[in-house]
Amino acid sequence: MIRRTLFEKVWDAHLVRPERADTPAVFYIDLHLIHEVTSPQAFSLLRERKLRARRPERAIATMDHSTPTTPRNPDGRLSIVDTQAATQIRQLETNCKEFGIRLFALGSDRQGIIHVIGPELGFTQPGRTIVCGDSHTSTHGAFGALAFGIGTTEVAHVLATQCLLQRKPKTFAIQVEGQLPHGVTAKDLILAIIARIGIGGGTGHVIEYTGPAIRALSMEERMTVCNMSIEAGARAGMIAPDDTTFDYLAGRPEAPQGPAWEQALKAWRRLPSDEGAAYDREVTIDASSLEPMITYGTNPGMVIPIRGVVPDSSNQTTQEKSLRYMGLRPGQRLLGHPIDVVFIGSCTNSRLSDLRLAASLLKGQKVAPGVRVLVVPGSQQVKKQAETEGLDRIFREAGAEWRESGCSMCIAMNGDQVQPGQYAVSTSNRNFEGRQGVGSRTFLASPLTAAAAAITGRITDVRELLK
Amino acid sequence: MKPIQIITSRCVVLPMENIDTDQIIPARFLKVITKNGLGQWLFADWRYDRDGAPRSDFVLNQPESAGAQVLVAGDNFGCGSSREHAPWALLDHGFRAVVSTSIADIFRSNALKNGLLPVVIDPETHRRLTAHPGATVTIDLEACTITLPDQTCTSFPIDAFARNCMLRGTDELGFLLAQEEAIAAYEREFS
């Protein structure tokens, strides 16, 4: 018997035509996620070639990147002040209408960050191939789907043919042993993994996260881990589906129902990697030894334990430029460093459990004087649930801003920005130069560490507050 | 896309590692619905000061960079976001090839689809190129080689299919559309 990994099972099941020396595989895509920023030129290409969308029912769209998160008008509408963004958003409406694609439009109760709404509506399912013109598509791998980011030309390929040309990536198992200590979250785990394998460590590979510490994670935590697979350069990240996955999916609007559910379960239970299946690369990490993590530089691989010091680096050019930008020096401790902004949100950490974590610390507390705290739920559904639980009140009473759903300050395209030179503790996924606004300086961390910083106004070891 | 056979050009060198696509073109310039004119925003936050004036210390603003078609960059070039605006901006500026010791997956895929040639070379050849900014190199796509000023010639890997598309200047969509029968058969059986 050929022993196959989870990835290989999903790969094999989607080959329309296998790869050959002179041609890549023709690879079938089950679900195509679309947003306003990376799709307009793809629809234009279809129009130029006089093509229709081949399977429009296999795509869904929403607006998230350049949408406002400021409070609604008294009439319940969201006003878009940026004319360029407004044009792009209108273009997506036109494109979806013309090509017959289901749109969860701005203002509707199912709008949100594409990587939050796909799972919460039940579109994201084990064994599916899922693509989106967005690198954080890796998020959906948490369900045992093969999900990866593509460019706009490929968005057009999928619209026109429901297929992509692909070379088979290599496989990479990351086995996480032990148990995450108190105060150490899924975000800290993935940051520690990136620290270990490096920002380019996953290039050309699909990662499968395995081991008891992964099994113990909730679906939302698994999404946080898979989300940042791309920050290690990986093509995708996957976690084998299990009862945690099935319990999450059961009853979701787009999940199979009745006999179809039973049939799907049977197929999904066959997906996990066969015992003894071989990977191209394997790494083992002990979760029990991990601490809260925080980035100090300008990529997610420049990350240290919260009580650590900024290291020296072998590449002086890169390190010097990065530390000059951040206003830090080698040997410096980050603990106690003052901060200006806290952002709790993004496709990494904007789900209900993330907001609950942050609220658990902020309850009855006040945001430190001079610190701006922005809490941006990942979707309208998350927002509604959080409000039902009273989390919005906890945030507001602490002095934080409670916003409408979207990508917001993670990518700073919608007016939510960190000002030049300001320091932000952010639960998002990228600390690149200028990512959160021109001149912004980002420390990536977990929702717990972010909430701790909001209270103290400084980089804080959240375990001190949890005692 | 324009066919590529041979590129002979001076190199512009950006030695930093892990240059991400947010540096290549910052997100605030992605609120567009066409591909046109993105070259003006290439490396915008490194190239211009806060008032929009060109920074004289940035290599693209120096006179010897004018007309260069080859960018030599540090390891893991193009990491981060999937934005195809990154290769669009590089091409619109006039670059036709990017040379590094490794290139991020999505960026490489996007580059190939637009006629921007990703050239991955060994660390020693790369070191020699970064040590001599402005050196003239010849990249031969037919032979898959890059030739340095001292005539040493190094080969680079490239997917055979993508290479043929670039040599002919054709895109992949035609090939995919021609698979209609196989796609329909797959759907009948599996979906």
Side-chain angles (χ1 to χ4, degrees):
Chain A
M1 186 187 97
I2 301 166
R3 294 179 174 140
R4 293 185 302 166
T5 63
L6 164 64
F7 158 75
E8 284 161 336
K9 292 180 192 186
V10 182
W11 172 266
D12 291 348
H14 290 84
L15 290 177
V16 171
R17 201 182 109 144
E19 63 183 321
R20 301 170 191 170
D22 59 346
T23 47
V26 178
F27 190 68
Y28 197 78
I29 303 302
D30 295 321
L31 176 65
H32 186 191
L33 310 172
I34 295 169
H35 67 77
E36 77 277 24
V37 176
T38 56
S39 65
Q41 299 86 349
F43 286 105
S44 300
L45 181 59
L46 260 67
R47 282 193 194 95
E48 259 168 51
R49 302 278 183 103
K50 300 192 167 35
L51 295 166
R52 60 187 178 88
R54 192 173 187 286
R55 298 291 301 271
E57 77 284 7
R58 288 187 171 265
I60 59 164
T62 195
M63 300 99 166
D64 52 9
H65 280 64
S66 56
T67 54
T69 62
T70 40
R72 289 169 186 247
N73 297 334
D75 62 0
R77 281 185 311 117
L78 286 151
S79 52
I80 308 162
V81 288
D82 178 335
T83 54
Q84 262 195 313
T87 303
Q88 209 173 44
I89 286 165
R90 270 199 308 273
Q91 189 63 49
L92 183 61
E93 286 168 350
T94 307
N95 289 338
C96 287
K97 203 166 164 194
E98 186 179 331
F99 289 88
I101 290 163
R102 201 166 155 193
L103 172 67
F104 299 100
L106 186 65
S108 80
D109 68 348
R110 291 191 171 180
Q111 178 271 349
I113 303 174
I114 190 81
H115 309 309
V116 175
I117 69 169
E120 82 184 358
L121 297 177
F123 285 103
T124 302
Q125 292 173 22
R128 282 192 164 171
T129 49
I130 303 175
V131 296
C132 176
D134 192 286
S135 61
H136 292 110
T137 308
S138 59
T139 311
H140 308 265
F143 290 77
L146 176 56
F148 52 90
I150 57 176
T152 299
T153 301
E154 289 182 317
V155 171
H157 291 177
V158 178
L159 284 170
T161 69
Q162 207 56 38
C163 289
L164 285 173
L165 291 174
Q166 290 286 299
R167 290 283 178 191
K168 190 177 181 178
K170 292 183 178 144
T171 53
F172 187 168
I174 297 183
Q175 165 99 2
V176 189
E177 300 288 353
Q179 192 182 343
L180 288 172
H182 192 48
V184 181
T185 69
K187 178 65 161 288
D188 303 300
L189 169 60
I190 186 61
L191 285 171
I193 288 172
I194 298 165
R196 169 77 174 273
I197 69 174
I199 181 183
T203 304
H205 292 74
V206 169
I207 295 174
E208 182 181 342
Y209 303 95
T210 67
I214 297 295
R215 289 287 129 230
L217 297 177
S218 71
M219 281 318 295
E220 296 192 352
E221 291 171 318
R222 291 179 188 185
M223 285 188 248
T224 299
V225 170
C226 288
N227 171 273
M228 290 189 71
S229 303
I230 181 67
E231 309 313 331
R235 203 70 191 91
M238 299 176 86
I239 293 175
D242 57 13
D243 286 339
T244 303
T245 321
F246 310 143
D247 290 347
Y248 176 97
L249 270 170
R252 303 254 164 201
E254 298 296 326
Q257 317 282 341
W261 170 259
E262 294 305 323
Q263 217 178 340
L265 265 188
K266 251 192 242 170
W268 294 345
R269 288 194 197 282
R270 287 196 292 266
L271 285 170
S273 297
D274 298 325
E275 190 73 38
Y279 297 85
D280 294 300
R281 232 187 118 188
E282 294 182 53
V283 160
T284 301
I285 283 176
D286 178 17
S288 313
S289 65
L290 297 182
E291 297 181 73
M293 301 292 285
I294 192 154
T295 62
Y296 62 87
T298 53
N299 73 54
M302 302 174 86
V303 60
I304 51 174
I306 192 89
R307 311 192 79 84
V309 296
V310 175
D312 270 316
S313 159
S314 53
N315 188 308
Q316 288 305 323
T317 319
T318 306
Q319 173 90 349
E320 269 174 32
K321 182 175 190 310
S322 181
L323 292 187
R324 201 180 324 119
Y325 181 85
M326 289 299 292
L328 300 170
R329 51 179 203 285
Q332 186 176 348
R333 215 169 268 287
L334 291 186
L335 212 59
H337 194 287
I339 53 115
D340 306 289
V341 176
V342 171
F343 173 61
I344 298 171
S346 88
C347 58
T348 314
N349 280 128
S350 66
R351 298 179 182 83
L352 193 60
S353 57
D354 300 312
L355 303 186
R356 281 180 186 152
L357 272 185
S360 71
L361 272 185
L362 283 163
K363 190 170 186 174
Q365 300 281 339
K366 289 282 175 213
V367 166
V371 174
R372 181 185 184 202
V373 181
L374 208 64
V375 186
V376 184
S379 70
Q380 289 296 311
Q381 298 282 307
V382 171
K383 180 168 185 271
K384 201 166 99 188
Q385 285 171 301
E387 288 174 351
T388 307
E389 293 183 14
L391 303 185
D392 60 321
R393 234 184 33 227
I394 293 175
F395 292 127
R396 282 208 186 96
E397 284 173 7
E401 298 172 44
W402 176 247
R403 293 297 193 95
E404 295 291 327
S405 51
C407 301
S408 182
M409 208 182 258
C410 171
I411 191 161
M413 288 180 73
N414 73 333
D416 298 339
Q417 288 173 4
V418 176
Q419 297 306 306
Q422 284 191 327
Y423 288 99
V425 175
S426 178
T427 68
S428 55
N429 41 57
R430 288 187 173 139
N431 50 346
F432 297 151
E433 283 184 32
R435 173 78 179 186
Q436 297 195 281
V438 177
S440 60
R441 301 196 273 202
T442 303
F443 298 116
L444 298 176
S446 77
L448 275 180
T449 299
I455 296 166
T456 62
R458 295 174 181 279
I459 292 177
T460 301
D461 184 345
V462 68
R463 294 169 299 185
E464 300 280 321
L465 304 187
L466 291 172
K467 271 178 188 165
Chain B
M1 70 186 180
K2 268 202 269 180
I4 289 183
Q5 268 147 7
I6 289 179
I7 302 166
T8 297
S9 166
R10 274 175 300 116
C11 298
V12 168
V13 174
L14 282 174
M16 285 78 71
E17 294 178 349
N18 307 315
I19 295 175
D20 59 80
T21 52
D22 275 85
Q23 306 318 310
I24 300 173
I25 181 164
R28 63 185 183 279
F29 302 114
L30 310 186
K31 287 183 274 190
V32 292
I33 57 172
T34 70
K35 315 175 180 182
N36 307 329
L38 295 176
Q40 63 182 312
W41 308 121
L42 178 67
F43 294 113
D45 290 338
W46 290 355
R47 200 163 140 206
Y48 309 110
D49 64 22
R50 298 269 158 84
D51 304 319
R55 293 173 197 259
S56 57
D57 60 348
F58 185 64
V59 63
L60 281 193
N61 294 327
Q62 290 158 2
E64 58 273 26
S65 294
Q69 296 176 43
V70 177
L71 177 66
V72 177
D75 194 57
N76 196 30
F77 183 79
C79 60
S81 139
S82 65
R83 63 191 69 166
E84 199 160 317
H85 310 67
W88 293 338
L90 285 157
L91 281 161
D92 189 51
H93 182 82
F95 287 114
R96 313 227 35 218
V98 174
V99 181
S100 180
T101 42
S102 79
I103 293 178
D105 287 336
I106 307 178
F107 178 87
R108 193 193 58 233
S109 166
N110 287 338
L112 288 168
K113 285 172 184 61
N114 288 278
L116 179 70
L117 181 60
V119 177
V120 173
I121 53 172
D122 63 277
E124 175 51 27
T125 307
H126 186 262
R127 197 194 54 73
R128 285 162 58 204
L129 280 176
T130 49
H132 299 97
T136 295
V137 297
T138 294
I139 300 171
D140 182 340
L141 181 58
E142 184 75 54
C144 298
T145 56
I146 177 167
T147 306
L148 274 51
D150 63 4
Q151 297 309 307
T152 52
C153 180
T154 306
S155 62
F156 60 88
I158 184 168
D159 178 71
F161 182 77
R163 172 174 161 273
N164 284 336
C165 286
M166 287 185 121
L167 283 169
R168 291 196 211 113
T170 55
D171 68 24
E172 295 179 355
L173 184 54
F175 178 84
L176 268 172
L177 287 167
Q179 305 299 313
E180 175 55 33
E181 211 173 299
I183 299 168
Y186 176 90
E187 286 181 329
R188 276 194 300 276
E189 194 171 350
F190 297 107
S191 70

